[in-house]
Amino acid sequence: FFFQAEDGIRDSVASRGLGDVYKRQQLLEKYNIKWLKEWQFTINYRVWQLNRSSKLFSFSRFANVSIENTIYYENGDAYIGDVCQGKRNGYGTLLFDKGSSIFEGEWKDNKREGNGYQITALGKYSGQFIGDRYHGVGAFCEPDGTVYDGDWIENSKNGVGHMKFPNGDVYLGEFKFDKKHGKGQYTYANGDIYSGQFVNNMK
């Protein structure tokens, strides 16, 4: 069930009065109105609602977590989510520069830590974070349509990964510092295949 608030935004919990309405209006006025309205009808928003629910509060990995927080920063960023000891801890969403980029996922001591989803001008990343960096396994989609899915070490493609290019070419193999490096197989869109060693993107 969804409840229609006075500001026209549907919420999955009953409104607790004008305070809730005012908070939502503040968000809409301070950040990209169109983006925020669309976000509230996405699966990510539903997940966030579930994570902030008091029903799930006892399952939090952090003690003394304060939920349903909205924090505005002097640089224009805004955070909505779990807070512990004054820091972003748990699950939450950070909007950068009035919604021009966004991260939604797990936090530890103000750093992205765990699983998350991030959108920036450079592309979209979904996967694991450690110490505020892409680290572990994740997928990244660039603006031109190039998609990489594989291992990451400190924001760089390192390890084994699969990369598909806009022209239909596909590479499966080893990467080092964002370059094809090591054993791999490159399949061209016309069906031709090269299998062997790569060094700094070169065959």
Side-chain angles (χ1 to χ4, degrees):
F1 293 90
F2 289 85
F3 297 85
Q4 190 79 17
E6 291 89 333
D7 57 359
I9 300 174
R10 297 190 304 170
D11 204 346
S12 60
V13 295
S15 175
R16 289 174 290 281
L18 292 176
D20 276 8
V21 175
Y22 178 68
K23 180 183 289 187
R24 283 191 289 266
Q25 286 177 338
Q26 274 190 317
L27 279 174
L28 292 176
E29 290 171 1
K30 191 174 180 67
Y31 296 93
N32 186 294
I33 295 176
K34 181 180 178 182
W35 185 91
L36 281 169
K37 284 186 175 180
E38 291 177 349
W39 174 56
Q40 296 194 43
F41 292 94
T42 65
I43 294 176
N44 282 340
Y45 179 74
R46 304 287 177 80
V47 172
W48 175 73
Q49 285 281 13
L50 287 174
N51 276 274
R52 71 199 280 263
S53 169
S54 59
K55 293 180 181 179
L56 298 182
F57 178 72
S58 60
F59 295 99
S60 173
R61 293 182 293 124
F62 301 92
N64 301 317
V65 174
S66 176
I67 60 175
E68 299 188 29
N69 284 282
T70 301
I71 303 174
Y72 299 104
Y73 299 94
E74 292 183 359
N75 63 359
D77 296 348
Y79 173 77
I80 308 169
D82 296 340
V83 175
C84 178
Q85 298 179 344
K87 296 181 179 181
R88 298 187 293 274
N89 274 301
Y91 191 93
T93 301
L94 182 64
L95 289 79
F96 301 87
D97 192 22
K98 298 185 178 180
S100 63
S101 60
I102 181 174
F103 168 81
E104 179 178 346
E106 296 177 301
W107 295 86
K108 183 178 180 181
D109 295 334
N110 281 342
K111 293 184 177 181
R112 294 164 293 175
E113 188 91 11
N115 295 311
Y117 180 78
Q118 180 162 318
I119 302 175
T120 70
L122 299 177
K124 303 175 182 178
Y125 174 85
S126 178
Q128 297 174 315
F129 290 78
I130 293 180
D132 230 18
R133 298 182 178 185
Y134 305 159
H135 194 101
V137 178
F140 189 88
C141 180
E142 300 178 24
D144 67 357
T146 301
V147 178
Y148 170 82
D149 189 355
D151 298 328
W152 294 81
I153 297 178
E154 296 186 345
N155 283 345
S156 295
K157 304 176 189 71
N158 275 287
V160 176
H162 175 276
M163 180 172 278
K164 185 174 182 179
F165 300 91
N167 64 358
D169 292 356
V170 175
Y171 171 77
L172 175 63
E174 296 178 306
F175 286 80
K176 185 176 182 180
F177 298 116
D178 292 327
K179 294 181 179 180
K180 299 184 289 293
H181 192 94
K183 295 181 180 179
Q185 178 175 290
Y186 196 100
T187 303
Y188 293 88
N190 64 7
D192 292 345
I193 296 175
Y194 168 81
S195 228
Q197 289 287 331
F198 288 78
V199 178
N200 293 327
N201 276 340
M202 303 297 292
K203 295 178 279 193

